[in-house]
Amino acid sequence: AARSIQEDPDLLQCFTTKEQVVAKWENRESNPIIHGVKVVYPISTARGLVGFLVVKGSDLAQRDRDMVQGFLRIYHNYLQLIDANERDVLTGLLNRKTFIDRMMAILAAQRALPRDTGAEVPMSQRCCLAILDIDHFKRVNDNFGHLQGDEVLIRFARQMTQTFREVDQLFRYGGEEFVVLLKGVDLETGLTVLERFRKNLETMSIPQVGHVTASIGVVEIVNQELPTTVVEQADKALYYAKEHGRNQVI
């Protein structure tokens, strides 16, 4: 997607300005060649630009452009409703209901892979699930109050978005528990990525509270039948991390 934007100056301008772009256009595949206009509309949500609508034609009257803008406003509202339904209000991360839906989709995709060749699951289909639990979070609420506890949750979620890739899926599972779905990685790589997050978090300082740490349990998603099975396995690893010193990835 980034390459397509770089190769099209009109898309690049729309991406940069976040505004509608009108440009000249010609269809050289037709005979005779058609000269016309090209309009690029940005499609955005509260979280930023998510795509473009490109309309090309020999002529686009203002009323046609206004009609497209009207449809885009309806689509924008639709995206906002979906976004609100899928996300945690406090942190902005995906919520628990969405997590179950995404897990079901991953397991279904793996089950659809051919099993009679003896080949391993391709890396593109491999995933790891990690449960992250903020260490001693109850002490934060008890010592500093729930507003400061909310600030810790927000800062924790922000550190997640800064550390993990856009392709990875980040969730607030409930309370001080968070979940990461690492896409296209095996367990060894997943451990490395999560250890990097743990170290980044360890160095982050939060006003009044100071430093916080997290215990993390991770499992590779492969051949499990149900999302609950995957969660139980990651939860056992998390419990082991908490029982053996906290602030570690197991």
Side-chain angles (χ1 to χ4, degrees), residues 27 81 111 116 119 141 182-183 195 218 244:
N27 185 356
L81 286 172
R111 284 195 295 270
D116 56 352
N141 283 332
L182 298 170
K183 307 294 287 295
E195 180 64 18
V218 58
H244 292 77

Side-chain angles (χ1 to χ4, degrees), residues 74-92:
I74 295 172
Y75 185 59
H76 172 80
N77 292 337
Y78 172 70
L79 290 178
Q80 293 288 81
L81 286 172
I82 293 176
D83 196 55
N85 186 54
E86 290 186 339
R87 293 194 177 270
D88 172 61
V89 175
L90 179 65
T91 63

Side-chain angles (χ1 to χ4, degrees), residues 114-133:
R115 296 296 184 183
D116 56 352
T117 62
E120 292 186 356
V121 175
M123 187 60 71
S124 61
Q125 294 288 341
R126 301 183 81 164
C127 299
C128 287
L129 177 139
I131 301 179
L132 302 76
D133 187 283

Side-chain angles (χ1 to χ4, degrees), residues 197-216:
F197 170 80
R198 188 196 63 78
K199 289 181 178 179
N200 290 344
L201 179 70
E202 196 176 34
T203 61
M204 182 181 71
S205 180
I206 300 175
Q208 296 187 39
V209 175
H211 297 278
V212 297
T213 61
S215 301
I216 304 172

